[in-house]
Amino acid sequence: MKNEQITKKLKEFKKLIKHFIKNSLDSTDDIHALRIKCRELFSLLNDNDNLAKDIKKIISFSNDIRDIDVFFNEYLKNLPTKYKKEVEREIFLKNNERERKKKIKKLYKYLKILKVPKSVANKKEEHFTQNLVFMEFPELDRKKLHKYRIYIKKRLYIEKNSFDRDDKKIKTLTNIKDALGTINDNYNALKRLRSYDIKSKVYKKIEKYTQNQNQKIYKKLKKSL
């Protein structure tokens, strides 16, 4: 990528951060949008660059907030009613707001001291000779799928930043990323659920249900490749 292009992206990112702070943005959609912009810029930077380290920190903060949002606003709400009622008796939903506010405050504290330089040395373009369709798709294992998802995201950002954008490939990579993301969200939700005072019998039922949901997503994705 030419230097003037990455310089332009840095300006846009700096403008986004200022807008974010000025308007005290903190909705689920706002946090998700910030994560995406951070990841897109991070993909262009050398890993040892100071800005890359700062952005990685912001991604970590925003991931923590997103995990809370996904757990309460999606995972719990989408559980079958019979499980949902049992869980809600054990979980005080107000804990969600208290924990989220603490993490939002931590994120803003970091954003306010963030220094975005006018220019940086962009990462050297990486070339992948192996076609995605013929790659070996991993088994349904959290660690293996997470590693594969990182690779997919890497491919996706390279395609998005390419001069010769392949929109069809971008759509395919995005669909894979999102499906694997849902599986990972479910794993994270189970981990959070386990941290609450949930009856063992209830937890095991929900765990089995979640594993079945992941199996369905996995089979559908694997079939589409």
Side-chain angles (χ1 to χ4, degrees), residues 93-120:
L93 298 185
K94 61 183 180 181
N95 288 340
N96 165 32
E97 296 181 8
R98 185 162 58 247
E99 182 183 3
R100 193 178 192 277
K101 284 179 180 178
K102 286 182 180 179
K103 293 188 180 296
I104 287 288
K105 186 176 181 180
K106 196 173 183 180
L107 171 63
Y108 267 87
K109 185 177 180 180
Y110 202 82
L111 290 179
K112 288 176 181 178
I113 63 172
L114 178 67
K115 302 292 183 182
V116 182
K118 293 183 178 179
S119 63
V120 292

Side-chain angles (χ1 to χ4, degrees), residues 34-52:
L34 177 65
R35 290 172 67 249
I36 292 175
K37 287 297 180 183
C38 283
R39 288 187 181 281
E40 288 180 351
L41 183 56
F42 181 77
S43 70
L44 299 172
L45 305 174
N46 292 310
D47 294 344
N48 60 350
D49 185 275
N50 288 330
L51 179 60

Side-chain angles (χ1 to χ4, degrees), residues 137-164:
F137 192 68
E139 60 189 87
L140 182 53
D141 174 82
R142 181 175 187 174
K143 291 183 178 179
K144 291 179 180 179
L145 286 178
H146 179 64
K147 185 176 181 180
Y148 187 77
R149 181 167 171 254
I150 290 175
Y151 171 78
I152 291 296
K153 288 194 289 186
K154 200 172 186 181
R155 286 287 307 266
L156 175 61
Y157 293 132
I158 288 174
E159 287 295 336
K160 282 187 173 182
N161 292 319
S162 174
F163 289 108
D164 301 318

Side-chain angles (χ1 to χ4, degrees), residues 26-84:
D26 64 357
S27 72
T28 299
D29 289 340
D30 293 327
I31 296 299
H32 184 58
L34 177 65
R35 290 172 67 249
I36 292 175
K37 287 297 180 183
C38 283
R39 288 187 181 281
E40 288 180 351
L41 183 56
F42 181 77
S43 70
L44 299 172
L45 305 174
N46 292 310
D47 294 344
N48 60 350
D49 185 275
N50 288 330
L51 179 60
K53 294 176 182 178
D54 288 338
I55 292 179
K56 192 172 183 180
K57 195 75 174 177
I58 296 172
I59 292 172
S60 178
F61 289 145
S62 58
N63 279 346
D64 288 343
I65 298 168
R66 181 183 177 277
D67 285 345
I68 294 174
D69 291 340
V70 170
F71 180 75
F72 285 97
N73 300 331
E74 295 182 29
Y75 183 77
L76 288 185
K77 286 185 178 180
N78 290 326
L79 284 177
T81 304
K82 59 181 178 179
Y83 297 143
K84 192 186 306 182

